Amino acid sequence: MTHPRATPAARTERTQDAPSSRPHTGRTTPAITLTPSLHDLRRHLTSHLDPPARTWLDHALDEAAAHPGLHGPISVWELRLAEAARRCGPAHADTARVLILDAARADTDALTRVYFQGTADERRAVLHALPHLVPGPDALPLVEDALRTNDTRLLATAVGPYAARHLNPHAWRHAVLKCLFTGVPVNHVADLPRRAVGDGELARMLGDYAAERTAAGRTVPEDLYRVLDLTESVHHTPGTDHPHGKES
């Protein structure tokens, strides 16, 4: 549904008409979190694994390093990706898979194959690996695919550091709206404070969404107000253009 472009005053008016007037919670802006290095990920993971799991991980990483890239219908390291949850436990499987992908020197082609042939868990691991393994925007089709789903765990990963670096403004705004539509907390949106600051078009989209929900008698998500506050901000902290640091 298309709406005429709203003026800032109209946006404010619509927002104030929400079923429960705009709350002022005193919450701070979502924190910017640096992406852990691969070295830190491995150190953290091995400190939490029991001896059999550590032995399996070491073997899987050595195996991937010895046979990198794509080989035949399926590479040996791809089999290890499938085993990660059983060997390391569900809580540590994402990190184990990212480390295996790195050891295998998985490029965009390899990551694409794993993403489209893998399970939802393996797709999520690929998205986690992107800021470490793909320096440019070549893997954006994977992020865009994830943003078309309604799998909230996949969506929460898709709006991570790689999307923050490479999604164009139009696609990034729609990713933020998708989080609001599906109930994914906006604190999953990497680099949200910097990218949202002063974004009038995002503010317009948020105002339209708030107006639609109000007209339908539905509550407006608290996260919408948090993002709207960011769009109205003009503050910019020097030196935060790349808050996630250098990609590993």
Side-chain angles (χ1 to χ4, degrees), residues 172-200:
W172 184 81
R173 292 178 189 120
H174 280 278
V176 173
L177 265 292
K178 185 66 177 276
C179 288
L180 294 173
F181 295 155
T182 58
V184 172
V186 295
N187 60 5
H188 287 288
V189 182
D191 208 3
L192 177 64
R194 184 183 68 85
R195 288 209 61 167
V197 65
D199 190 334

PDB file of all heavy atoms in Angstrom, residues 172-200:
ATOM      1  N   TRP A 172      18.460  -1.567   3.312  1.00  0.00           N
ATOM      2  CA  TRP A 172      18.687  -1.571   4.764  1.00  0.00           C
ATOM      3  C   TRP A 172      17.447  -1.074   5.508  1.00  0.00           C
ATOM      4  O   TRP A 172      17.053  -1.646   6.525  1.00  0.00           O
ATOM      5  CB  TRP A 172      19.899  -0.712   5.099  1.00  0.00           C
ATOM      6  CG  TRP A 172      20.241  -0.741   6.557  1.00  0.00           C
ATOM      7  CD1 TRP A 172      20.949  -1.695   7.229  1.00  0.00           C
ATOM      8  CD2 TRP A 172      19.851   0.225   7.539  1.00  0.00           C
ATOM      9  NE1 TRP A 172      21.034  -1.382   8.567  1.00  0.00           N
ATOM     10  CE2 TRP A 172      20.375  -0.221   8.780  1.00  0.00           C
ATOM     11  CE3 TRP A 172      19.124   1.414   7.491  1.00  0.00           C
ATOM     12  CZ2 TRP A 172      20.189   0.504   9.962  1.00  0.00           C
ATOM     13  CZ3 TRP A 172      18.933   2.134   8.669  1.00  0.00           C
ATOM     14  CH2 TRP A 172      19.471   1.665   9.873  1.00  0.00           C
ATOM     15  N   ARG A 173      16.810  -0.024   4.997  1.00  0.00           N
ATOM     16  CA  ARG A 173      15.589   0.469   5.648  1.00  0.00           C
ATOM     17  C   ARG A 173      14.508  -0.613   5.680  1.00  0.00           C
ATOM     18  O   ARG A 173      13.815  -0.797   6.690  1.00  0.00           O
ATOM     19  CB  ARG A 173      15.065   1.705   4.909  1.00  0.00           C
ATOM     20  CG  ARG A 173      15.956   2.932   5.031  1.00  0.00           C
ATOM     21  CD  ARG A 173      15.382   4.091   4.238  1.00  0.00           C
ATOM     22  NE  ARG A 173      16.314   5.190   4.164  1.00  0.00           N
ATOM     23  CZ  ARG A 173      16.811   5.678   3.017  1.00  0.00           C
ATOM     24  NH1 ARG A 173      16.427   5.169   1.843  1.00  0.00           N
ATOM     25  NH2 ARG A 173      17.664   6.683   3.043  1.00  0.00           N
ATOM     26  N   HIS A 174      14.366  -1.313   4.561  1.00  0.00           N
ATOM     27  CA  HIS A 174      13.348  -2.366   4.521  1.00  0.00           C
ATOM     28  C   HIS A 174      13.718  -3.521   5.455  1.00  0.00           C
ATOM     29  O   HIS A 174      12.822  -4.192   5.990  1.00  0.00           O
ATOM     30  CB  HIS A 174      13.145  -2.847   3.088  1.00  0.00           C
ATOM     31  CG  HIS A 174      12.267  -1.926   2.290  1.00  0.00           C
ATOM     32  ND1 HIS A 174      10.891  -1.972   2.357  1.00  0.00           N
ATOM     33  CD2 HIS A 174      12.576  -0.910   1.439  1.00  0.00           C
ATOM     34  CE1 HIS A 174      10.382  -1.034   1.578  1.00  0.00           C
ATOM     35  NE2 HIS A 174      11.377  -0.374   1.007  1.00  0.00           N
ATOM     36  N   ALA A 175      15.009  -3.757   5.654  1.00  0.00           N
ATOM     37  CA  ALA A 175      15.428  -4.785   6.616  1.00  0.00           C
ATOM     38  C   ALA A 175      15.014  -4.392   8.033  1.00  0.00           C
ATOM     39  O   ALA A 175      14.560  -5.231   8.816  1.00  0.00           O
ATOM     40  CB  ALA A 175      16.938  -4.997   6.534  1.00  0.00           C
ATOM     41  N   VAL A 176      15.170  -3.127   8.365  1.00  0.00           N
ATOM     42  CA  VAL A 176      14.749  -2.649   9.683  1.00  0.00           C
ATOM     43  C   VAL A 176      13.239  -2.818   9.842  1.00  0.00           C
ATOM     44  O   VAL A 176      12.749  -3.298  10.877  1.00  0.00           O
ATOM     45  CB  VAL A 176      15.151  -1.169   9.887  1.00  0.00           C
ATOM     46  CG1 VAL A 176      14.568  -0.629  11.196  1.00  0.00           C
ATOM     47  CG2 VAL A 176      16.675  -1.027   9.886  1.00  0.00           C
ATOM     48  N   LEU A 177      12.487  -2.433   8.808  1.00  0.00           N
ATOM     49  CA  LEU A 177      11.031  -2.606   8.863  1.00  0.00           C
ATOM     50  C   LEU A 177      10.651  -4.081   8.982  1.00  0.00           C
ATOM     51  O   LEU A 177       9.707  -4.427   9.698  1.00  0.00           O
ATOM     52  CB  LEU A 177      10.386  -1.988   7.618  1.00  0.00           C
ATOM     53  CG  LEU A 177       9.859  -0.544   7.727  1.00  0.00           C
ATOM     54  CD1 LEU A 177       8.660  -0.454   8.637  1.00  0.00           C
ATOM     55  CD2 LEU A 177      10.948   0.414   8.175  1.00  0.00           C
ATOM     56  N   LYS A 178      11.397  -4.956   8.290  1.00  0.00           N
ATOM     57  CA  LYS A 178      11.098  -6.383   8.372  1.00  0.00           C
ATOM     58  C   LYS A 178      11.266  -6.885   9.806  1.00  0.00           C
ATOM     59  O   LYS A 178      10.485  -7.721  10.281  1.00  0.00           O
ATOM     60  CB  LYS A 178      12.021  -7.164   7.419  1.00  0.00           C
ATOM     61  CG  LYS A 178      11.733  -8.670   7.318  1.00  0.00           C
ATOM     62  CD  LYS A 178      10.388  -8.936   6.679  1.00  0.00           C
ATOM     63  CE  LYS A 178      10.132 -10.437   6.504  1.00  0.00           C
ATOM     64  NZ  LYS A 178      10.738 -10.986   5.285  1.00  0.00           N
ATOM     65  N   CYS A 179      12.272  -6.378  10.490  1.00  0.00           N
ATOM     66  CA  CYS A 179      12.441  -6.746  11.903  1.00  0.00           C
ATOM     67  C   CYS A 179      11.225  -6.325  12.712  1.00  0.00           C
ATOM     68  O   CYS A 179      10.727  -7.091  13.548  1.00  0.00           O
ATOM     69  CB  CYS A 179      13.707  -6.104  12.465  1.00  0.00           C
ATOM     70  SG  CYS A 179      15.241  -6.834  11.861  1.00  0.00           S
ATOM     71  N   LEU A 180      10.726  -5.128  12.477  1.00  0.00           N
ATOM     72  CA  LEU A 180       9.549  -4.659  13.205  1.00  0.00           C
ATOM     73  C   LEU A 180       8.319  -5.499  12.862  1.00  0.00           C
ATOM     74  O   LEU A 180       7.522  -5.836  13.742  1.00  0.00           O
ATOM     75  CB  LEU A 180       9.289  -3.184  12.892  1.00  0.00           C
ATOM     76  CG  LEU A 180      10.358  -2.201  13.377  1.00  0.00           C
ATOM     77  CD1 LEU A 180      10.068  -0.794  12.847  1.00  0.00           C
ATOM     78  CD2 LEU A 180      10.439  -2.183  14.897  1.00  0.00           C
ATOM     79  N   PHE A 181       8.160  -5.854  11.575  1.00  0.00           N
ATOM     80  CA  PHE A 181       7.014  -6.667  11.154  1.00  0.00           C
ATOM     81  C   PHE A 181       7.009  -8.027  11.849  1.00  0.00           C
ATOM     82  O   PHE A 181       5.966  -8.544  12.215  1.00  0.00           O
ATOM     83  CB  PHE A 181       7.044  -6.925   9.647  1.00  0.00           C
ATOM     84  CG  PHE A 181       6.877  -5.705   8.779  1.00  0.00           C
ATOM     85  CD1 PHE A 181       7.386  -5.692   7.499  1.00  0.00           C
ATOM     86  CD2 PHE A 181       6.217  -4.569   9.235  1.00  0.00           C
ATOM     87  CE1 PHE A 181       7.250  -4.582   6.679  1.00  0.00           C
ATOM     88  CE2 PHE A 181       6.078  -3.454   8.433  1.00  0.00           C
ATOM     89  CZ  PHE A 181       6.597  -3.456   7.147  1.00  0.00           C
ATOM     90  N   THR A 182       8.187  -8.617  11.982  1.00  0.00           N
ATOM     91  CA  THR A 182       8.287 -10.013  12.439  1.00  0.00           C
ATOM     92  C   THR A 182       8.609 -10.147  13.919  1.00  0.00           C
ATOM     93  O   THR A 182       8.666 -11.267  14.439  1.00  0.00           O
ATOM     94  CB  THR A 182       9.360 -10.759  11.631  1.00  0.00           C
ATOM     95  OG1 THR A 182      10.620 -10.084  11.768  1.00  0.00           O
ATOM     96  CG2 THR A 182       8.986 -10.849  10.160  1.00  0.00           C
ATOM     97  N   GLY A 183       8.838  -9.028  14.591  1.00  0.00           N
ATOM     98  CA  GLY A 183       9.119  -9.092  16.025  1.00  0.00           C
ATOM     99  C   GLY A 183      10.564  -9.371  16.366  1.00  0.00           C
ATOM    100  O   GLY A 183      10.874  -9.696  17.522  1.00  0.00           O
ATOM    101  N   VAL A 184      11.474  -9.240  15.399  1.00  0.00           N
ATOM    102  CA  VAL A 184      12.895  -9.387  15.697  1.00  0.00           C
ATOM    103  C   VAL A 184      13.370  -8.116  16.407  1.00  0.00           C
ATOM    104  O   VAL A 184      13.231  -7.019  15.861  1.00  0.00           O
ATOM    105  CB  VAL A 184      13.722  -9.606  14.413  1.00  0.00           C
ATOM    106  CG1 VAL A 184      15.224  -9.561  14.712  1.00  0.00           C
ATOM    107  CG2 VAL A 184      13.351 -10.934  13.752  1.00  0.00           C
ATOM    108  N   PRO A 185      13.906  -8.213  17.616  1.00  0.00           N
ATOM    109  CA  PRO A 185      14.351  -7.007  18.333  1.00  0.00           C
ATOM    110  C   PRO A 185      15.380  -6.227  17.516  1.00  0.00           C
ATOM    111  O   PRO A 185      16.293  -6.810  16.930  1.00  0.00           O
ATOM    112  CB  PRO A 185      14.972  -7.567  19.616  1.00  0.00           C
ATOM    113  CG  PRO A 185      14.311  -8.902  19.809  1.00  0.00           C
ATOM    114  CD  PRO A 185      14.096  -9.443  18.425  1.00  0.00           C
ATOM    115  N   VAL A 186      15.247  -4.907  17.495  1.00  0.00           N
ATOM    116  CA  VAL A 186      16.143  -4.107  16.669  1.00  0.00           C
ATOM    117  C   VAL A 186      17.566  -4.063  17.216  1.00  0.00           C
ATOM    118  O   VAL A 186      18.472  -3.591  16.525  1.00  0.00           O
ATOM    119  CB  VAL A 186      15.612  -2.676  16.464  1.00  0.00           C
ATOM    120  CG1 VAL A 186      14.328  -2.680  15.671  1.00  0.00           C
ATOM    121  CG2 VAL A 186      15.460  -1.946  17.801  1.00  0.00           C
ATOM    122  N   ASN A 187      17.779  -4.566  18.440  1.00  0.00           N
ATOM    123  CA  ASN A 187      19.165  -4.598  18.913  1.00  0.00           C
ATOM    124  C   ASN A 187      19.996  -5.628  18.153  1.00  0.00           C
ATOM    125  O   ASN A 187      21.215  -5.673  18.305  1.00  0.00           O
ATOM    126  CB  ASN A 187      19.252  -4.821  20.423  1.00  0.00           C
ATOM    127  CG  ASN A 187      18.623  -6.120  20.880  1.00  0.00           C
ATOM    128  OD1 ASN A 187      18.173  -6.939  20.074  1.00  0.00           O
ATOM    129  ND2 ASN A 187      18.566  -6.311  22.183  1.00  0.00           N
ATOM    130  N   HIS A 188      19.347  -6.444  17.298  1.00  0.00           N
ATOM    131  CA  HIS A 188      20.084  -7.347  16.416  1.00  0.00           C
ATOM    132  C   HIS A 188      20.617  -6.614  15.181  1.00  0.00           C
ATOM    133  O   HIS A 188      21.473  -7.147  14.477  1.00  0.00           O
ATOM    134  CB  HIS A 188      19.196  -8.504  15.961  1.00  0.00           C
ATOM    135  CG  HIS A 188      18.915  -9.514  17.025  1.00  0.00           C
ATOM    136  ND1 HIS A 188      19.866 -10.406  17.481  1.00  0.00           N
ATOM    137  CD2 HIS A 188      17.786  -9.779  17.739  1.00  0.00           C
ATOM    138  CE1 HIS A 188      19.341 -11.172  18.420  1.00  0.00           C
ATOM    139  NE2 HIS A 188      18.092 -10.806  18.608  1.00  0.00           N
ATOM    140  N   VAL A 189      20.100  -5.430  14.899  1.00  0.00           N
ATOM    141  CA  VAL A 189      20.510  -4.693  13.700  1.00  0.00           C
ATOM    142  C   VAL A 189      21.860  -4.042  13.963  1.00  0.00           C
ATOM    143  O   VAL A 189      21.961  -3.056  14.701  1.00  0.00           O
ATOM    144  CB  VAL A 189      19.469  -3.631  13.307  1.00  0.00           C
ATOM    145  CG1 VAL A 189      19.908  -2.914  12.032  1.00  0.00           C
ATOM    146  CG2 VAL A 189      18.097  -4.280  13.102  1.00  0.00           C
ATOM    147  N   ALA A 190      22.898  -4.599  13.376  1.00  0.00           N
ATOM    148  CA  ALA A 190      24.250  -4.090  13.603  1.00  0.00           C
ATOM    149  C   ALA A 190      24.378  -2.655  13.096  1.00  0.00           C
ATOM    150  O   ALA A 190      23.820  -2.303  12.050  1.00  0.00           O
ATOM    151  CB  ALA A 190      25.277  -4.988  12.903  1.00  0.00           C
ATOM    152  N   ASP A 191      25.092  -1.848  13.854  1.00  0.00           N
ATOM    153  CA  ASP A 191      25.390  -0.472  13.449  1.00  0.00           C
ATOM    154  C   ASP A 191      24.135   0.384  13.298  1.00  0.00           C
ATOM    155  O   ASP A 191      24.129   1.360  12.550  1.00  0.00           O
ATOM    156  CB  ASP A 191      26.183  -0.489  12.132  1.00  0.00           C
ATOM    157  CG  ASP A 191      27.093   0.714  11.980  1.00  0.00           C
ATOM    158  OD1 ASP A 191      27.162   1.523  12.907  1.00  0.00           O
ATOM    159  OD2 ASP A 191      27.717   0.847  10.916  1.00  0.00           O
ATOM    160  N   LEU A 192      23.069   0.013  13.986  1.00  0.00           N
ATOM    161  CA  LEU A 192      21.811   0.750  13.864  1.00  0.00           C
ATOM    162  C   LEU A 192      21.958   2.233  14.210  1.00  0.00           C
ATOM    163  O   LEU A 192      21.463   3.079  13.453  1.00  0.00           O
ATOM    164  CB  LEU A 192      20.739   0.099  14.748  1.00  0.00           C
ATOM    165  CG  LEU A 192      19.382   0.795  14.789  1.00  0.00           C
ATOM    166  CD1 LEU A 192      18.717   0.775  13.413  1.00  0.00           C
ATOM    167  CD2 LEU A 192      18.470   0.144  15.830  1.00  0.00           C
ATOM    168  N   PRO A 193      22.618   2.598  15.311  1.00  0.00           N
ATOM    169  CA  PRO A 193      22.683   4.027  15.636  1.00  0.00           C
ATOM    170  C   PRO A 193      23.318   4.879  14.541  1.00  0.00           C
ATOM    171  O   PRO A 193      22.819   5.960  14.225  1.00  0.00           O
ATOM    172  CB  PRO A 193      23.521   4.051  16.925  1.00  0.00           C
ATOM    173  CG  PRO A 193      23.301   2.705  17.541  1.00  0.00           C
ATOM    174  CD  PRO A 193      23.221   1.761  16.378  1.00  0.00           C
ATOM    175  N   ARG A 194      24.416   4.396  13.947  1.00  0.00           N
ATOM    176  CA  ARG A 194      25.077   5.205  12.921  1.00  0.00           C
ATOM    177  C   ARG A 194      24.266   5.271  11.638  1.00  0.00           C
ATOM    178  O   ARG A 194      24.133   6.341  11.035  1.00  0.00           O
ATOM    179  CB  ARG A 194      26.477   4.648  12.617  1.00  0.00           C
ATOM    180  CG  ARG A 194      27.251   5.515  11.604  1.00  0.00           C
ATOM    181  CD  ARG A 194      28.608   4.920  11.260  1.00  0.00           C
ATOM    182  NE  ARG A 194      28.490   3.689  10.522  1.00  0.00           N
ATOM    183  CZ  ARG A 194      28.349   3.616   9.201  1.00  0.00           C
ATOM    184  NH1 ARG A 194      28.252   4.727   8.474  1.00  0.00           N
ATOM    185  NH2 ARG A 194      28.268   2.452   8.596  1.00  0.00           N
ATOM    186  N   ARG A 195      23.694   4.134  11.220  1.00  0.00           N
ATOM    187  CA  ARG A 195      23.000   4.125   9.940  1.00  0.00           C
ATOM    188  C   ARG A 195      21.649   4.835  10.011  1.00  0.00           C
ATOM    189  O   ARG A 195      21.176   5.384   9.016  1.00  0.00           O
ATOM    190  CB  ARG A 195      22.826   2.699   9.431  1.00  0.00           C
ATOM    191  CG  ARG A 195      24.141   2.096   8.958  1.00  0.00           C
ATOM    192  CD  ARG A 195      23.962   1.059   7.866  1.00  0.00           C
ATOM    193  NE  ARG A 195      23.347   1.585   6.677  1.00  0.00           N
ATOM    194  CZ  ARG A 195      23.313   0.954   5.496  1.00  0.00           C
ATOM    195  NH1 ARG A 195      23.871  -0.244   5.382  1.00  0.00           N
ATOM    196  NH2 ARG A 195      22.728   1.487   4.445  1.00  0.00           N
ATOM    197  N   ALA A 196      21.019   4.835  11.169  1.00  0.00           N
ATOM    198  CA  ALA A 196      19.686   5.445  11.270  1.00  0.00           C
ATOM    199  C   ALA A 196      19.730   6.943  11.521  1.00  0.00           C
ATOM    200  O   ALA A 196      18.755   7.652  11.220  1.00  0.00           O
ATOM    201  CB  ALA A 196      18.897   4.777  12.394  1.00  0.00           C
ATOM    202  N   VAL A 197      20.848   7.434  12.036  1.00  0.00           N
ATOM    203  CA  VAL A 197      20.896   8.827  12.460  1.00  0.00           C
ATOM    204  C   VAL A 197      20.553   9.776  11.304  1.00  0.00           C
ATOM    205  O   VAL A 197      21.102   9.686  10.209  1.00  0.00           O
ATOM    206  CB  VAL A 197      22.278   9.185  13.065  1.00  0.00           C
ATOM    207  CG1 VAL A 197      23.390   9.105  12.034  1.00  0.00           C
ATOM    208  CG2 VAL A 197      22.242  10.560  13.709  1.00  0.00           C
ATOM    209  N   GLY A 198      19.588  10.659  11.555  1.00  0.00           N
ATOM    210  CA  GLY A 198      19.216  11.667  10.578  1.00  0.00           C
ATOM    211  C   GLY A 198      18.582  11.130   9.318  1.00  0.00           C
ATOM    212  O   GLY A 198      18.473  11.862   8.320  1.00  0.00           O
ATOM    213  N   ASP A 199      18.126   9.870   9.308  1.00  0.00           N
ATOM    214  CA  ASP A 199      17.565   9.256   8.097  1.00  0.00           C
ATOM    215  C   ASP A 199      16.083   9.622   7.991  1.00  0.00           C
ATOM    216  O   ASP A 199      15.215   8.950   8.542  1.00  0.00           O
ATOM    217  CB  ASP A 199      17.749   7.739   8.144  1.00  0.00           C
ATOM    218  CG  ASP A 199      17.407   7.057   6.820  1.00  0.00           C
ATOM    219  OD1 ASP A 199      16.596   7.622   6.046  1.00  0.00           O
ATOM    220  OD2 ASP A 199      17.938   5.960   6.555  1.00  0.00           O
ATOM    221  N   GLY A 200      15.799  10.684   7.258  1.00  0.00           N
ATOM    222  CA  GLY A 200      14.426  11.150   7.122  1.00  0.00           C
ATOM    223  C   GLY A 200      13.521  10.170   6.410  1.00  0.00           C
ATOM    224  O   GLY A 200      12.330  10.069   6.727  1.00  0.00           O
TER     225      GLY A 200
END
